[in-house]
């Protein structure tokens, strides 16, 4: 394929990707949000918890070393969800009956706080990533205009045109690879939500109902 054909193909891909990103942002009513998934900046306890009201004291979950450690272990995505749920059940089974609910409420609050915070950080990172993509797209459009203007000149320097074409094609390839990476990154908030929901249901099942 000739360099000029590579350039035109890359430019077409760039146009498609930019217009697609704009459509997704419009669907989410947020110009900085590039994902198909709707942007929900933070979760509420009511979205993942159907058990008894969480007492105010549960907010001090990190003052209990055992619960603090367990929250870190079960919230970590590297820990398979089924293994984390087993740890929750085993912890509940080790508690005296009179301590069970208070400790499990604290565990839930810790898991919720930790995963909700992690999810917020991911969403913020996605928005920054999208901002960078828009900046890159603007730069690429400028470079494409420069190449087009040079090509239109009868006395253009072929070697210089080839050099600019190669750079533009390479930078467009990087841009497209970043778009592909974004497809995975956009799934992460949902993955975190699913983990939070799964752990919440397991914790809820250990609670002694009045």
């Amino acid at each position: 394929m000739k360099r000029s054909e590579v350039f035109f193909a890359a430019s077409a891909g760039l146009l498609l990707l930019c217009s697609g990103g704009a459509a997704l942002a419009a669907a989410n009513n947020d110009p900085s949000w590039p994902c198909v998934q709707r942007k929900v900046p933070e979760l509420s306890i009511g979205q993942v918890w159907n058990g008894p009201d969480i007492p105010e004291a549960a907010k001090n979950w990190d003052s209990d070393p055992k619960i603090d450690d367990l929250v870190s272990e079960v919230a970590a995505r590297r820990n398979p969800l089924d293994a984390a749920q087993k740890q929750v059940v085993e912890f509940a089974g080790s508690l005296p009956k009179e301590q069970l609910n208070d400790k499990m409420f604290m565990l839930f609050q810790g898991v919720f706080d930790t995963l909700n915070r992690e999810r917020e950080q991911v969403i913020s990172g996605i928005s920054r990533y999208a901002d960078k993509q828009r900046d890159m797209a603007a730069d690429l459009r400028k470079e494409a205009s420069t190449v087009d203007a040079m090509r239109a000149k009868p006395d253009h320097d072929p070697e210089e045109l080839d050099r600019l074409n190669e750079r533009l094609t390479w930078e467009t390839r990087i841009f497209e690879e970043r778009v592909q990476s974004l497809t995975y990154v956009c799934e992460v908030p949902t993955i975190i939500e699913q983990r939070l929901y799964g752990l919440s249901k397991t914790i809820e099942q250990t609670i002694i109902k009045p």
Side-chain angles (χ1 to χ4, degrees):
M1 182 181 289
K2 296 178 181 178
R3 288 190 179 95
S4 60
E5 292 174 341
V6 171
F7 164 71
F8 285 123
S11 297
L14 172 61
L15 179 61
L16 179 61
L17 290 165
C18 290
S19 61
L24 292 178
N28 279 283
N29 297 316
D30 184 341
S32 69
W33 189 247
C35 303
V36 174
Q37 299 85 346
R38 183 167 294 278
K39 182 180 180 181
V40 179
E42 60 180 306
L43 301 175
S44 67
I45 286 178
Q47 290 175 277
V48 296
W49 179 258
N50 294 317
D53 291 343
I54 306 298
E56 190 70 18
K59 292 182 178 179
N60 298 320
W61 59 270
D62 54 354
S63 65
D64 185 314
K66 287 186 178 180
I67 290 180
D68 191 25
D69 288 344
L70 185 57
V71 166
S72 297
E73 290 179 19
V74 301
R77 280 182 283 145
R78 66 177 180 276
N79 187 5
L81 179 57
D82 56 349
Q85 290 171 317
K86 182 179 179 181
Q87 287 178 276
V88 168
V89 172
E90 289 176 349
F91 176 69
S94 72
L95 296 170
K97 185 177 180 180
E98 64 274 12
Q99 295 182 17
L100 178 63
N101 281 12
D102 287 344
K103 296 293 186 182
M104 298 312 289
F105 284 141
M106 292 174 73
L107 179 61
F108 165 75
Q109 186 71 59
V111 169
F112 179 83
D113 289 350
T114 300
L115 289 178
N116 197 31
R117 181 172 58 249
E118 179 183 346
R119 183 179 172 280
E120 289 174 5
Q121 291 169 347
V122 170
I123 288 174
S124 178
I126 290 172
S127 292
R128 291 194 301 271
Y129 194 99
D131 289 341
K132 177 65 174 177
Q133 284 295 90
R134 278 189 291 276
D135 291 342
M136 289 179 67
D139 290 342
L140 287 172
R141 284 194 292 271
K142 290 177 182 178
E143 290 186 34
S145 295
T146 298
V147 170
D148 287 342
M150 178 178 289
R151 184 182 291 107
K153 294 180 179 179
D155 59 344
H156 69 260
D157 181 343
E159 291 185 1
E160 177 66 7
L161 181 61
D162 283 349
R163 186 185 69 81
L164 292 178
N165 257 337
E166 287 179 356
R167 186 176 71 180
L168 180 59
T169 301
W170 173 253
E171 291 176 352
T172 303
R173 184 176 298 122
I174 293 173
F175 177 89
E176 292 174 341
E177 288 174 354
R178 283 173 58 88
V179 171
Q180 293 302 317
S181 297
L182 189 60
T183 301
Y184 166 73
V185 175
C186 282
E187 294 288 343
V188 176
T190 300
I191 292 171
I192 295 173
E193 289 169 30
Q194 291 170 345
R195 186 175 192 87
L196 176 56
Y197 184 80
L199 289 170
S200 298
K201 295 302 104 180
T202 300
I203 295 171
E204 188 180 322
Q205 289 167 5
T206 69
I207 297 292
I208 300 174
K209 305 298 191 298

